Amino acid sequence: MLPTENRLRRREDFATAVRRGRRAGRPLLVVHLRSGSTDPHAPGESTPPTRAGFVVSKAVGVAVVRNLVKRRLRHLMRDRLRRLPAGSLVVVRALPGAGDADHAQLARDLDAALSRLLGGGAR
């Protein structure tokens, strides 16, 4: 499970990550990353923790499948949060094929997208 302080909850934060961040697409998902931004909602000058949010539409499948995909993505992202710069906003959008994918396929696509966004992968 993703810790509470690492969850993206506000609509504005999702919009900031999607509109102002960089994007990397893979066959099963699209990852949006807004690096090291400061949280306008947090008091003081401290850097907020890295936060992640997930978008899984009805195109992925029925409710049971969507929730399974969200749980898998939260579990995968929990282990990858320390690779990201502090204060980053990450939005992972599942594409329709994610409902049929297994855990390993989602992990491969997530790793490839994150490495591309962090400068480790070619276009």
Side-chain angles (χ1 to χ4, degrees):
M1 185 57 91
L2 199 61
T4 304
E5 66 270 5
N6 295 118
R7 293 185 193 166
L8 205 56
R9 295 177 184 257
R10 293 188 178 100
R11 179 184 179 123
E12 310 89 53
D13 294 338
F14 275 88
T16 299
V18 171
R19 291 185 187 141
R20 296 184 186 164
R22 294 182 9 221
R23 178 183 71 207
R26 303 298 305 157
L28 300 177
L29 45 86
V30 177
V31 179
H32 300 268
L33 174 68
R34 171 86 169 146
S35 295
S37 59
T38 58
D39 185 1
H41 308 291
E45 297 293 324
S46 64
T47 304
T50 300
R51 293 179 293 152
F54 306 93
V55 178
V56 183
S57 74
K58 288 185 179 181
V60 172
V62 295
V64 172
V65 174
R66 291 194 310 266
N67 286 325
L68 176 68
V69 170
K70 279 188 274 191
R71 282 195 308 271
R72 285 179 175 168
L73 290 173
R74 275 196 303 262
H75 177 76
L76 290 168
M77 186 55 75
R78 180 189 64 187
D79 298 333
R80 289 155 178 84
L81 282 176
R82 28 181 187 270
R83 289 177 43 193
L84 302 171
S88 295
L89 302 177
V90 180
V91 173
V92 179
R93 183 167 44 97
L95 297 176
D100 299 325
D102 64 358
H103 191 79
Q105 291 170 318
L106 286 173
R108 268 195 308 275
D109 273 9
L110 183 60
D111 286 336
L114 286 175
S115 66
R116 180 173 168 198
L117 287 171
L118 295 172
R123 284 187 164 261

